[in-house]
């Protein structure tokens, strides 16, 4: 077993006060774990390295229309931390005829969204529900490291979400937005 450097163990314990120096190695290793995912039919497989840099629920009109759903759950990673490990030739890309800031990659066989290259943010976003390790499947349980931290483009959305997460009209300031937040019942008042 390797030893976690004291400075890293102290930083982890500082971020997670209940974590002792003895427990820090497990937390440290989880930061560098490889997680796997795939499209619905299994033609395309991918891996992500470590915990996501961010996780959000996107209500933008493009996500809603390309997913045929009220929102998309996304986990953001540095581009080098997302790798297609099988079926790259079965991926196709859509970006609203060159007008979008995102390149959306999907399986040509089953149509599942696999990941998006968010060019304006310099990162890739995988679709949370496609992760198979940790399993985010039919049991509906999300690993804490992958739980969304906010709603983005909530004003563009169509459904009300009564959860404790902040709901941004567009984007938080950290993503280059104005950080304006909306109430849970924003859609009920329109």
């Amino acid at each position: 077993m390797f030893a976690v450097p004291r400075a890293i163990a102290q930083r982890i314990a500082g971020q997670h006060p209940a974590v002792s120096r003895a427990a820090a190695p497990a937390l440290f290793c989880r930061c560098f774990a490889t997680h796997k995912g795939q499209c619905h039919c299994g033609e395309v497989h991918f891996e992500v390295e470590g915990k996501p840099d961010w996780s959000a629920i996107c209500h933008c009109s493009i996500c809603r229309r390309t997913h045929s759903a009220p929102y998309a759950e996304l986990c953001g990673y540095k581009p080098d931390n997302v790798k297609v490990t099988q079926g790259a030739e079965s991926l196709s890309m859509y970006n609203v005829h060159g007008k979008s800031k995102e390149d959306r990659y999907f399986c040509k066989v089953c149509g599942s969204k696999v990941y998006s290259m968010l060019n304006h943010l310099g990162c890739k976003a995988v679709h949370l529900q496609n992760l198979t390790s940790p399993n985010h499947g039919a049991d509906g349980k999300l690993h804490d490291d992958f739980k969304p931290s906010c709603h983005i483009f909530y004003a563009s959305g169509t459904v009300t979400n009564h959860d404790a997460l902040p709901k941004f009209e567009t984007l938080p300031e950290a993503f280059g937005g104005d950080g304006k937040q909306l109430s849970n019942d924003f859609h009920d008042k329109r």
Side-chain angles (χ1 to χ4, degrees):
M1 184 167 159
F2 72 97
V4 176
R6 178 179 290 280
I8 293 174
Q10 288 172 337
R11 191 171 78 225
I12 291 170
Q15 292 171 352
H16 306 277
V19 176
S20 68
R21 186 167 191 274
L27 205 68
F28 179 77
C29 291
R30 196 171 69 218
C31 294
F32 297 102
T34 298
H35 306 289
K36 298 175 187 246
Q38 68 182 53
C39 66
H40 187 263
C41 72
E43 183 75 18
V44 179
H45 289 244
F46 65 90
E47 292 180 349
V48 294
E49 276 301 313
K51 298 186 326 186
D53 295 328
W54 55 266
S55 188
I57 300 168
C58 184
H59 296 261
C60 82
S61 61
I62 299 172
C63 278
R64 288 187 289 110
R65 291 187 74 186
T66 60
H67 288 265
S68 296
Y71 51 79
E73 296 172 313
L74 307 172
C75 296
Y77 286 88
K78 292 172 185 63
D80 290 343
N81 289 355
V82 177
K83 303 219 182 334
V84 174
T85 58
Q86 176 184 313
E89 67 283 352
S90 294
L91 284 176
S92 192
M93 188 271 290
Y94 176 70
N95 76 347
V96 194
H97 309 292
K99 297 177 186 173
S100 178
K101 295 177 184 176
E102 293 96 21
D103 298 332
R104 292 168 163 78
Y105 291 85
F106 62 94
C107 174
K108 291 189 263 187
V109 177
C110 66
S112 292
K113 311 310 179 252
V114 178
Y115 73 91
S116 295
M117 179 64 209
L118 308 178
N119 297 306
H120 59 299
L121 297 176
C123 65
K124 287 182 180 176
V126 299
H127 303 282
L128 177 63
Q129 299 302 326
N130 288 348
L131 288 167
T132 56
S133 152
N135 180 13
H136 294 135
D139 65 5
K141 295 179 183 172
L142 298 178
H143 188 281
D144 286 344
D145 291 343
F146 294 86
K147 287 183 179 175
S149 61
C150 66
H151 293 263
I152 57 176
F153 295 105
Y154 193 67
S156 174
T158 58
V159 298
T160 297
N161 292 83
H162 291 283
D163 56 31
L165 300 177
K167 286 142 185 88
F168 293 96
E169 181 174 24
T170 59
L171 292 170
E173 290 176 2
F175 285 22
D178 64 9
K180 181 179 176 189
Q181 291 190 37
L182 302 173
S183 65
N184 278 336
D185 62 352
F186 171 81
H187 300 293
D188 298 336
K189 295 178 180 179
R190 293 200 285 183

